[in-house]
Amino acid sequence: MNHKEIIQRTEKYISSEFCSEGSGHDWYHIDRVRKMSLTIGEKETCNLFVVEMAALLHDLDDWKLTDQASPALSKTEKWLAEVEIEADLKAKIIGIINEVSFKGAGVDTPVSSVEAAVVQDADRLDAIGAIGIARTFAYGGHKNRLIYDPEIQTELHGDFQVYKNSKAPTINHFYEKLLLLKDRMNTETARQLAVGRHEFMKNYLNQFFKEWEAVL
Ligand code: NI
């Protein structure tokens, strides 16, 4: 199977796996991350096949979507074996996927390749701005979280397990993750794109609190 066929088969597999995902990690999220990864990747020196495959597969075994205690890559490994991808590329793709996720405000998530930097940026860009806001509330609803509770303070998590088990209202997530992402982009392209999306979220939050307090 050549690389083009592998991409086509992977796209088909992932679009059927994620077509009715209601937590904001649906197929269109994956497809946006794939497109954005390629847009960013074209400006970097990197392997675009590896970037595209990692983007397509990045949420397949994500801890947010599975009940697994450990971040095992069972489905991803199985799929990469099925499409008979070269061993070195397989290792690269799995390495990228392991590095993509945000793990708490105080937890470092360094990347060890340009390809990982690109996919991490693309996934983080989809978590901010207008789409980021929509996805955040979709995820909160999926987890039965309150929209907002003034009694529950924001917490900057220094530990992945604590972050993972947080039951905080959705608005807190803006302060615990989304507003921090602008300064955590790896590439210049993503840094520039993040600025407008960040401003949009800040304006959104200002308006949210005005309405919350019934301010005229
Ligand atoms: Ni994602």
Side-chain angles (χ1 to χ4, degrees):
M1 214 181 302
N2 66 37
H3 284 177
K4 200 176 161 208
E5 287 166 336
I6 293 177
I7 293 281
Q8 284 169 346
R9 281 197 52 190
T10 305
E11 176 179 335
K12 221 174 146 198
Y13 168 57
I14 294 295
S15 60
S16 71
E17 284 279 310
F18 286 86
C19 63
S20 58
E21 215 291 328
S23 79
H25 298 82
D26 52 83
W27 161 244
Y28 292 105
H29 160 66
I30 312 283
D31 196 34
R32 285 190 304 270
V33 172
R34 179 248 288 259
K35 286 176 183 152
M36 184 58 81
S37 294
L38 291 174
T39 300
I40 298 171
E42 273 160 16
K43 300 209 187 304
E44 308 291 325
T45 308
C46 64
N47 182 330
L48 288 178
F49 170 70
V50 167
V51 162
E52 190 167 6
M53 282 298 285
L56 282 169
L57 295 166
H58 84 275
D59 275 336
L60 191 57
D61 290 300
D62 193 278
W63 61 267
K64 292 187 290 302
L65 312 175
T66 58
D67 295 325
Q68 293 164 359
S70 66
L73 290 170
S74 50
K75 281 176 156 180
T76 310
E77 299 247 16
K78 254 173 97 180
W79 180 254
L80 291 173
E82 185 163 331
V83 292
E84 294 173 345
I85 212 158
E86 298 94 313
D88 58 327
L89 298 185
K90 179 180 171 181
K92 262 194 129 173
I93 291 165
I94 288 174
I96 296 168
I97 295 169
N98 279 325
E99 290 177 352
V100 165
S101 249
F102 185 86
K103 297 182 174 74
V107 185
D108 246 2
T109 44
V111 286
S112 51
S113 66
V114 185
E115 288 82 358
V118 165
V119 179
Q120 189 185 70
D121 278 0
D123 195 36
R124 289 182 173 182
L125 281 169
D126 210 56
I128 60 176
I131 284 178
I133 294 170
R135 293 184 59 227
T136 303
F137 285 105
Y139 188 70
H142 172 76
K143 288 281 186 186
N144 273 321
R145 289 182 183 165
L146 277 176
I147 290 174
Y148 179 49
D149 182 344
E151 299 296 313
I152 302 177
Q153 297 299 309
T154 292
E155 199 185 329
L156 296 174
H157 304 98
D159 179 276
F160 177 50
Q161 289 307 320
V162 180
Y163 172 70
K164 188 176 164 179
N165 295 324
S166 168
K167 304 263 186 296
T170 299
I171 284 289
N172 293 28
H173 195 63
F174 286 83
Y175 299 94
E176 291 163 0
K177 175 183 174 186
L178 308 186
L179 293 170
L180 308 175
L181 293 179
K182 172 178 75 73
D183 295 327
R184 297 191 184 193
M185 296 294 168
N186 305 297
T187 63
E188 193 45 43
T189 314
R191 258 193 294 279
Q192 284 174 14
L193 281 168
V195 174
R197 296 185 188 204
H198 182 85
E199 280 308 302
F200 188 89
M201 288 194 298
K202 276 174 61 185
N203 292 334
Y204 170 78
L205 289 166
N206 282 338
Q207 180 68 19
F208 181 95
F209 288 114
K210 260 189 181 172
E211 294 180 17
W212 187 273
E213 301 292 347
V215 173
L216 290 179

